């Protein structure tokens, strides 16, 4: 039965590769790679024909081995030519002897195999070793081709790698088993034709996809890593086969048991190499230490960094935090920048923006890190705080467990911020090269974020410029209305008793009133008078806000937790306008049956004024991107979108800051922190 299967398999392979060869003859040859493909397909056809003939007529295997060696050599040549860009045969012939030695060795091996076959000399185990070594070389070249080719070119070469990989892997198992058992299994041998048949369409698919069989390559750590794994595995299996053969030859009855033991041991080692994460990491460390001068593949790191910065639809602060966390894979990370003299958390990863440890690091370490441009190793400071040029509270450090590094990020244009990182999981330990990478990325991110903020400021300035131009048109409308009214007043002296004039006058007044209403609607939120900075009673000002907004629904209520004569220093009229706008926004977002509460209290050196409602609420994205953006409104033509923006500007001009907390469907809370100036 095996004879029939083998004869059928090799015959089908011969027919398939004959058709493949004829198909290649009909195409226009371009380049050495195409010629090499034609040669190797022809010799695979010859290999299949000789294999079928050997099974049918039982002539010496030396003929078959010789053809197989030449076929393998041509496969090697094609694979190497595919790896090397602009490869020509003259490059190999004129190149180093180590390259020509492989080709020459294969030719000598094929000639010796032919000589043995012609002389009817018996084949020994040496020939099995040579054939096994060829399979190892083939697998190594396939792995090199797939790992070293550009990622976007892998789909074109993948079918051929799968086909040839399966063929050489099957041959490896065949010859390894033959060395161990001191004989070729005919069951294995008879299936080789079918394996070659399966490889043919995969090779053909790559041949149709690849136009020139030449792609730019680069040598990376992954190439060395996977090649090392493959070479170690192949070398061990080859050694195992030789030792197994010796044991069987010298061990007598217990030789088979020893062979089985070696098979089990080989499987265990291969599983350890390819599946054990610990061994894989140790191997990567050794390769990095002994084969590369740098710890990182900087070209790849900057390509990944650039790809992150190009992401759309994401907050630039989130992008920046992702970019610096990418090489280190930290479990926790946070980014904060200095705004109005204090740190504001802009982005967090796996940690809340008001996490006590984040606030603790920002309060005690961030300013020192920026001032000294020092990457702070928190774990190192816990052991010895004298390593930094500033004093740090050891008690405070013991309260920090989530974060291990604080990286400053700043520019000469005034942008300042810090990045908090937990202990990296992508590397075993942080050394000077990791710190340099952190510093380099942080500087690039500082430029990136500063550019983002500059663009926002420019856009804001352009919006104000647009508003000024719009105001010019509105003033023009006011002049037209004024001219109408002046003309009507002048004519009234002569025609005030004329009924037609009276009717026309009412129409003119009505038209002017409508036009003025439109102008006032656009300008009411933009009016500015000279700022009057003086002490004023806070409770009285808040009562005026409540009284003025009591015409709307729901009516605001006041909860005052300070002394009745508590005073603030600032522009009272603008303060009332700002609070009125916030209350009006709350009324617009709250049903008539809802609640709006105005609260006043103090904390440390700040007076806190709150406007809280239980209305529609806002999303986090809206707060971050639209709430304080001027001229961005959700009320359509009914608003100009400057109420919240005006409140923020007013509070910051006083040296305070504004805080917003909101949830969709639950309401919003505006908290104004106003500094207390004692007179």
């Amino acid at each position: 039965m095996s004879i029939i299967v083998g004869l059928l398999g090799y015959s089908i392979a011969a027919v398939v590769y004959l058709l493949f060869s004829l198909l290649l003859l009909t195409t226009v040859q371009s380049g050495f790679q195409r010629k090499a493909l034609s040669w190797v397909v022809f010799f695979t056809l010859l290999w299949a024909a000789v294999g079928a003939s050997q099974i049918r007529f039982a002539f010496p295997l030396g003929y078959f081995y010789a053809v197989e060696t030449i076929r393998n050599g041509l496969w090697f040549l094609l694979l190497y030519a595919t790896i090397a860009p602009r490869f020509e045969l003259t490059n190999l012939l004129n190149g180093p002897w180590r390259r020509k030695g492989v080709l020459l060795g294969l030719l000598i091996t094929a000639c010796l195999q032919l000589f043995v076959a012609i002389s009817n000399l018996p084949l020994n185990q040496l020939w099995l070793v040579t054939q096994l070594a060829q399979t190892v070389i083939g697998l190594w070249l396939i792995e090199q081709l797939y790992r070293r080719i550009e990622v976007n070119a892998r789909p074109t070469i993948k079918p051929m790698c799968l086909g040839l990989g399966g063929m050489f892997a099957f041959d490896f198992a065949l010859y390894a088993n033959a060395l161990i058992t001191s004989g070729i299994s005919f069951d294995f041998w008879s299936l080789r034709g079918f394996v070659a048949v399966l490889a043919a369409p995969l090779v053909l698919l790559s041949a149709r996809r690849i136009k020139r069989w030449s792609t730019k390559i680069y040598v990376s750590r992954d190439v060395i890593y996977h090649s090392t794994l493959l070479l170690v595995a192949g070398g061990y299996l080859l050694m195992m086969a030789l030792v197994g053969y010796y044991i069987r030859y010298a061990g007598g009855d217990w030789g088979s048991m020893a062979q089985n033991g070696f098979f089990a041991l080989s499987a265990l080692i291969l599983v350890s190499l390819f599946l054990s994460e610990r061994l894989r990491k140790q191997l990567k460390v050794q390769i990095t230490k002994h084969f590369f001068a740098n710890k990182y593949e900087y070209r790849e790191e900057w390509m990944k960094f650039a790809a992150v910065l190009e992401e759309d639809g994401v907050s630039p602060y989130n992008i920046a935090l992702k970019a610096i966390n990418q090489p280190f894979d930290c479990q926790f990370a946070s980014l904060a920048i200095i705004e109005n003299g204090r740190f504001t958390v802009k982005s967090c990863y796996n940690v809340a923006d008001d996490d006590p440890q984040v606030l603790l690091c920002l309060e005690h370490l961030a300013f020192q890190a920026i001032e000294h441009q020092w990457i702070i190793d928190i774990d190192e400071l816990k052991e010895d705080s004298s390593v930094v040029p500033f004093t740090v509270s050891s008690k405070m450090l013991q309260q920090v467990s989530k974060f291990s590094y604080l990286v400053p990020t700043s520019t000469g244009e005034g942008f300042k911020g810090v990045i908090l990182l937990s202990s990296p999981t992508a590397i075993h330990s942080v050394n000077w090269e990791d710190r340099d990478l952190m510093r380099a990325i942080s500087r690039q991110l500082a430029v990136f974020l500063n550019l983002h903020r500059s663009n926002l400021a420019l856009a804001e300035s352009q919006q104000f410029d647009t508003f000024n131009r719009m105001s010019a048109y509105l003033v023009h409308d006011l002049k037209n209305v004024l001219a109408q009214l002046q003309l009507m007043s002048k004519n009234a002296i002569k025609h005030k008793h004329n009924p037609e004039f009276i009717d026309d006058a009412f129409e003119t007044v009505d038209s002017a009133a409508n036009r003025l209403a439109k102008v006032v609607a656009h300008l009411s939120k933009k009016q500015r008078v000279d700022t009057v900075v003086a002490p004023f009673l806070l409770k009285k000002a808040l009562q005026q806000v409540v009284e003025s907004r009591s015409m709307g629904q729901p009516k605001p209520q006041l909860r005052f937790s300070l002394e009745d004569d508590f005073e603030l220093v600032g522009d009272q009229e603008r303060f009332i306008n700002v609070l009125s706008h916030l209350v009006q926004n709350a009324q617009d977002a709250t049903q008539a049956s809802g609640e709006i509460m105005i609260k006043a209290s103090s904390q440390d050196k700040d007076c806190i004024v709150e406007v809280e409602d239980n209305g529609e609420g806002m999303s986090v994205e809206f707060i971050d991107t639209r709430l304080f953006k001027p001229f961005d409104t959700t009320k359509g033509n009914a608003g100009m979108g400057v109420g919240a923006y005006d409140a923020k500007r007013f509070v910051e001009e006083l040296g305070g800051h504004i805080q917003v907390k909101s949830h969709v469907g639950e309401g919003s809370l505006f908290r104004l922190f106003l500094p207390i100036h004692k007179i």
Side-chain angles (χ1 to χ4, degrees), residues 203-352:
V203 176
L204 177 61
L205 183 59
S206 288
R208 291 180 61 85
R209 288 181 178 180
I210 305 173
K211 296 181 178 180
R212 296 186 178 181
W213 290 67
S214 178
T215 312
K216 293 182 179 180
I217 59 168
Y218 67 96
V219 179
S220 68
R221 297 166 201 267
D222 287 337
V223 171
I224 302 296
Y225 168 61
H226 290 95
S227 299
T228 303
L229 284 180
L230 183 61
L231 286 176
V232 170
Y236 174 78
L237 289 177
L238 182 60
M239 181 186 69
M240 181 270 297
L242 295 175
V243 175
Y245 167 72
Y246 174 77
I247 291 175
R248 183 175 181 85
Y249 177 77
D253 296 335
W254 56 272
S256 298
M257 184 181 299
Q259 288 177 356
N260 293 332
F262 267 93
F263 271 121
L265 182 60
S266 67
L268 178 63
I269 291 182
L270 287 179
V271 169
S272 298
L273 282 174
F274 288 96
L275 300 182
S276 173
E277 188 66 24
R278 182 179 179 183
L279 288 177
R280 289 162 68 93
K281 286 185 177 180
Q282 289 179 352
L283 181 59
K284 284 185 176 181
V285 170
Q286 294 300 319
I287 290 173
T288 301
K289 288 172 62 178
H290 297 291
F291 289 92
F292 293 92
N294 297 321
K295 186 175 183 179
Y296 292 95
E297 193 78 65
Y298 287 101
R299 176 181 176 275
E300 292 184 2
E301 294 298 335
W302 285 114
M303 292 292 289
K304 294 177 183 177
F305 177 78
V308 173
L309 295 186
E310 292 174 356
E311 292 184 4
D312 295 328
V314 184
S315 166
Y317 300 105
N318 294 340
I319 290 176
L321 192 61
K322 180 180 178 181
I324 196 170
N325 189 35
Q326 183 175 248
F328 308 106
D329 193 20
C330 301
Q331 184 179 1
F332 305 107
S334 181
L335 186 151
I337 66 172
I338 295 180
E339 287 184 329
N340 198 33
R342 60 185 295 274
F343 276 102
T344 302
V345 178
K346 290 296 187 179
S347 178
C348 288
Y349 175 70
N350 287 340
V351 65

Side-chain angles (χ1 to χ4, degrees), residues 18-53:
L18 175 61
L19 296 176
F20 195 171
S21 182
L22 293 175
L23 181 62
L24 290 175
L25 289 176
T26 61
T27 61
V28 178
Q29 303 296 326
S30 59
F32 174 79
Q33 292 82 3
R34 287 285 188 178
K35 297 177 182 178
L37 179 63
S38 300
W39 299 341
V40 75
V41 169
F42 173 77
F43 270 89
T44 304
L45 161 64
L46 184 61
W47 170 85
V50 173
S53 301

Side-chain angles (χ1 to χ4, degrees), residues 23 72 75 113 125 198 349 376 409 472 509 537 551 592 672:
L23 181 62
N72 290 342
W75 279 123
Q113 289 168 339
Q125 299 297 320
L198 294 176
Y349 175 70
I376 298 178
T409 173
V509 171
L537 292 176
M551 295 179 295
L672 282 62

Side-chain angles (χ1 to χ4, degrees), residues 409-484:
T409 173
S410 59
T411 64
E413 288 76 16
F415 175 83
K416 295 179 180 179
V418 293
I419 299 170
L420 295 170
L421 299 174
S422 62
S423 181
T425 61
I427 54 180
H428 292 288
S429 60
V430 176
N431 60 13
W432 62 269
E433 193 170 359
D434 301 300
R435 293 171 181 269
D436 284 349
L437 183 61
M438 289 181 184
R439 190 180 303 278
I441 293 178
S442 67
R443 288 175 177 174
Q444 293 299 318
L445 292 180
V447 175
F448 169 73
L449 294 176
N450 187 55
L451 180 62
H452 165 71
R453 292 169 62 84
S454 299
N455 288 337
L456 289 180
L458 179 61
E460 181 179 313
S461 176
Q462 291 174 341
Q463 287 175 324
F464 274 109
D465 182 62
T466 302
F467 176 76
N468 291 334
R469 290 197 299 270
M470 180 188 68
S471 300
Y473 291 108
L474 296 177
V475 170
H476 178 72
D477 289 341
L478 288 175
K479 290 181 179 180
N480 291 335
V481 173
L482 178 62
Q484 283 183 313

